[in-house]
Amino acid sequence: MMGEKEQKKTEFFTVKEVSGRTGLSVSTLRYYDSEGLTPQITRNSGGVRQYTQEDVCWLELICCLKHSGMALEDIRRFMGLCLGGEETAEERREILLEQRKLIGRKIEQLQCSLKLIECKLEHYKEVGVFHFGEP
């Protein structure tokens, strides 16, 4: 009928589809589920995981935190706080601020390493030698 609100049907993705979207292997997705990192994932009547677009965004955040060096135990805690809603927002903010500091320090260390490698490469370029084990 006209005037009635159309009800949106939630689109679900299979674990294989989510693997393709996120770049995570199917076994990693299952592991994250078994480790409690994705407690919001639902299953259909056959027990098959059903992912929503929101779940994909959740997984992208997990990947971001993992790639930034956060331990899975800390990610699990953070994601649990996310489920806590607004009352955990300040605690989550503090965790992210600390992670940002750690990332900044890691970037500084990597920049120093890059600088040293570039210096070494320049040295080899100048002497024209890249031979190992020659007398």
Side-chain angles (χ1 to χ4, degrees), residues 9-20:
K9 186 176 180 182
T10 303
E11 182 179 7
F12 291 107
F13 307 104
T14 65
V15 69
K16 187 174 180 180
E17 290 171 325
V18 172
S19 174

Side-chain angles (χ1 to χ4, degrees), residues 69-91:
M70 188 180 282
L72 285 183
E73 181 180 319
D74 295 330
I75 294 171
R76 183 183 308 108
R77 181 173 172 272
F78 181 83
M79 301 312 279
L81 290 170
C82 289
L83 293 173
E86 286 300 313
E87 64 188 52
T88 65
E90 185 57 31
E91 191 173 355

Side-chain angles (χ1 to χ4, degrees), residues 21-22 24 53 55-65:
R21 286 172 174 253
T22 63
L24 295 169
Q53 183 56 46
D55 297 330
V56 172
C57 292
W58 183 278
L59 287 163
E60 288 169 349
L61 177 57
I62 291 171
C63 289
C64 170
L65 296 174

